[in-house]
Amino acid sequence: MSDCIFCKIAAGDIPSATIYEDDDFRVILDLGPAAKGHALILPKEHYANITEMPDELLGKAMVLAKKVVTYMMKALPCDGYNVVQNNGEAAGQTVFHFHIHLIPRYKNDGVGVTWKPGELTDAWKQEIMEKTKGLRGE
């Protein structure tokens, strides 16, 4: 897409701090990092979200996430990692080009990628189990 900033970055039209690149992806340092070493995996083709990504490419993205995280945990070093992928405005997606956040975590870093656990009620469980029968082939 000609107006997508991540398409322009992935294509190399906009300079970025690229830490990895192959035929399908560019991995860049985030300009607004949650923590030191926060990176983004950007596919070079435009897909708005996870539901538009071809399965094979999505699989490659996760293998790449593992590769980058494994390397960065040794290079930085950090105490852990969040691998985050948002879909839709309600989920926090602000750039509608599929991307994966790789966020190094350091003890007591104050980075907030958590939520308050709720409760799976019997009503929710029953409703969801009924609505997902097709997923299970029932």
Side-chain angles (χ1 to χ4, degrees), residues 15-67:
S16 64
T18 299
I19 61 171
Y20 176 86
E21 183 176 10
D22 63 24
D23 292 340
D24 297 313
F25 299 98
R26 183 182 294 262
V27 182
I28 65 168
L29 294 179
D30 194 311
L31 289 177
K36 177 182 164 186
H38 181 167
L40 301 174
I41 296 177
L42 306 175
K44 291 185 175 179
E45 293 291 323
H46 183 83
Y47 305 98
N49 56 47
I50 195 170
T51 63
E52 292 186 5
M53 285 278 287
D55 292 348
E56 183 179 336
L57 194 61
L58 185 59
K60 286 182 178 180
M62 289 308 295
V63 170
L64 178 56
K66 177 184 175 184
K67 177 179 183 170

Side-chain angles (χ1 to χ4, degrees), residues 119-130:
E119 178 185 344
L120 178 60
T121 65
D122 287 338
W124 277 11
K125 180 171 69 174
Q126 184 176 357
E127 175 189 357
I128 295 165
M129 293 302 291
E130 181 64 31

